Amino acid sequence: MKSFAKMNPYVNLIFYLFALGFSMSFRHPVLIALSFFCSLAYAVYIGRKNVLKTLLLFAVPMIVIMSAVNVLFNHYGVTVIGKIGSNDLTLESLIYGAMQGAVLSSVVLWFSSFNEVLSGEKIIYIFGSISPKTAMIIRTALAFIPRFSKKAKEIHQAQRGMGELSSPSALKRLKNDAAVFSMLTTWSLETAADSALSMKSRGYSAEKRTFYSDYGFRFSDGAFLTFVLSLGVCIIFFASKKYAYAVFDPVLSFSKSFESVVMFVIYGAFLLMPLIYDLWEDIKWKYSVSKI
Amino acid sequence: MEIFRVENLRFKYPLEEWYAIKNASFTINSGDFCVLFGESGGGKTTLLRLLKPVLAPKGQTEGAVYYKSKNISLLDLKSDASEIGFVFQDIDSQIVCDTVKSELAFSLESLGYSNEEMSLRIAEVCAFFGLEDLMDKKTSELSGGQKQLLNLASVMTLSPEVLLLDEPTSQLDPVSAGNFLSLIKKINTELGTTVIISEHRLEECFSLCDCCIYASNGEIRYFESPNELSSLNEDAAAFLPSSAVIFKLLNEKGSIPLSVKEGRVFLSNYIGNGIISNNRIEKSNKSFEKCFDARDLCFRYSKKSKDAVFNADYTAYNGCFNAILGANGAGKSTFLKLVAGVEKAYSGSIKGAKGKNIFLLGQNVKILFTKETVLQELELSCTDKCKIDKAVKRLRIENLLSRHPYDLSGGEMQKCALAKALLHSPDIILLDEPTKALDAVFKQELGKIINELCESGICVVCVSHDVEFCAKYADVCSLMFGGRLTKSIPANEFFSSKKFYTTSASKISSGFFENAVLCEEVAELCKINKSC
């Protein structure tokens, strides 16, 4: 697990909310490209195994398809690059389609690293710190699923051991399967009743429930969160001043002012924060290891 | 200081005519280790549950239970949870959460502890029980023994003053069960926690306890010290450890020996300095004809795992109770699955099993049943009324026919499963740990039933941990270790040649007698040598 993934789940969550929100709302080609490459870089760095597969089987086809669909069905813009029947195919709609494809791909790539960083445990932590009861219900459900499938397998094997499932008649086999399923339901109800007793005997509902977790909130969490929030606010401020301005209809027009460039730098820095933090911690670790 | 005082307690379940508890009166002191024993259905679980208000069964209660001199029904929910811990029999269903950590935190969360306090308590319990390696695991990945350990640990996080345990080791193998019991003893001696445990593995328990309670048909008898057990009548003898059984068979009076060690001291005193003139029991060994021959069986569950069964050779005999003993993970259950054809060996052959009707009864017989009543269940296997009647008579389950299979006790379930087996008119019955959840009385009955089945010519192959059971009822025994089987030899020869893996009676008499492996045999030889 990389260092960013070891941080407090709230810090992870807030970063991803910002990153996903920005990625989905900006239309400026530079910002889209930044999001695409930063998400790709981070997914590769934390070692998602099928990033290449996602890239080749999702991102590239997505960009191609979105461009093609857009150029075929939307005919705004002034730069004509071809004709189908009486319809003009325009450069503007082609680029807009490609941008849409890139936005979708970067969202998918952000989610790919999100899955690695925010494990099931962390999501339960987020639920649990808001409502301990909800977290407990999720936990009981998660505990029940493997038990249920194990029992189903056991019953199946036991029936085979008696030679009852190998009956040649399909109807009898079907009847057997139905009986097995009904018994599985009985079993579930019975276990649930037993679990309820066990919960009761351990003080369930005796007091207002709290939630246990071993995720602390350390200095580095605070520092990282401060960066995320201040850079995020900066970006929103720049965006509200139209420095992320991009128009595709009727002509391509993007803001290219000095302030825009400043915003690109801030945006890039923001999106690279997890990667920079992981790199920094990895280098520090290598250095410490060399001293051991 | 007394912690529980039970006064004239009577309890009746709704719609039942008889009392589940008839007049119980006893006092348990703080720090006592109390063993509760008796046949299943005798009122052990009911009595234990009446000692914890949130678990008390619904019904008609007379008399009173006092906890710390106050009526227990006045206990509030919080103290109930934090002061009286309860561990159940069913290992799986009492686990509530998906991870070990959250399971340990469950009770603390329920009582509203703060995060720091929870961390501390969990760390403490973890160190005491040696759970460090399991902390990051999911509960579904644990073995049975580890699960029950987790159940105990998660109750202990609240550091209760009393620990109630309802047959906690009945689903464990002997090694895990032994470890579990020694932990309970550790909790009792090191923390001073009062322990009341109902058990059927009594061979070890009595030497640990301060006092005991015998529950039979709702009659509750209290013994201040296990040494007073000599006053028990014949019916209860099945629950006593071998040393005590030998003692009673010899009609001795006084302090009763409760462990192998005490048994050996007693034996050497009994025989005195006399020369042992006759140290052998004469055994006539029956001869059997071959049923099937397994040669060089190899099997593994997945490509990369170890071989669960490796080059296993085994010969089973017709009309014979073939026992296979061995530790956990030796491949016993897997071997049965191979014979039954539920799993396929990747090499090796089984000669003589083809065309024969094989019936496998797994460890958990409960899952064999898919119908609402026992009778429907039997009719599912066979439509011939006569045959059903015969099987029912043979297994003496006439009174169970209208019951739901899930409401039966472990022993009753085992008998119904055997009846189902008989209806398939099998040539070979394979049994996997049939004595696992059975009390001593049911074990005797099951042993006799299996012997009867063998006499009718059926080949019974039974894998078991239970050395006492196999020594008493099996004809031939084999040991499985590391996926291999030793040659089957007659049970008496098998057990008298072993030092560790043998019956308590054999351990007690080794050095005195050559081949006495059962209590009756030891007693008989004792009598012969005494009179000389």
Side-chain angles (χ1 to χ4, degrees), chain B residues 60-79:
Chain B
Q60 181 191 333
T61 317
E62 293 160 31
V65 178
Y66 295 93
Y67 171 68
K68 290 185 176 168
S69 323
K70 268 191 239 143
N71 195 317
I72 200 162
S73 54
L74 302 174
L75 203 64
D76 62 292
L77 276 178
K78 193 176 174 179
S79 344

Side-chain angles (χ1 to χ4, degrees), chain B residues 245-259:
Chain B
V245 173
I246 296 170
F247 179 85
K248 280 180 77 85
L249 282 171
L250 294 170
N251 289 321
E252 286 293 299
K253 294 277 170 302
S255 162
I256 194 163
L258 294 165
S259 62

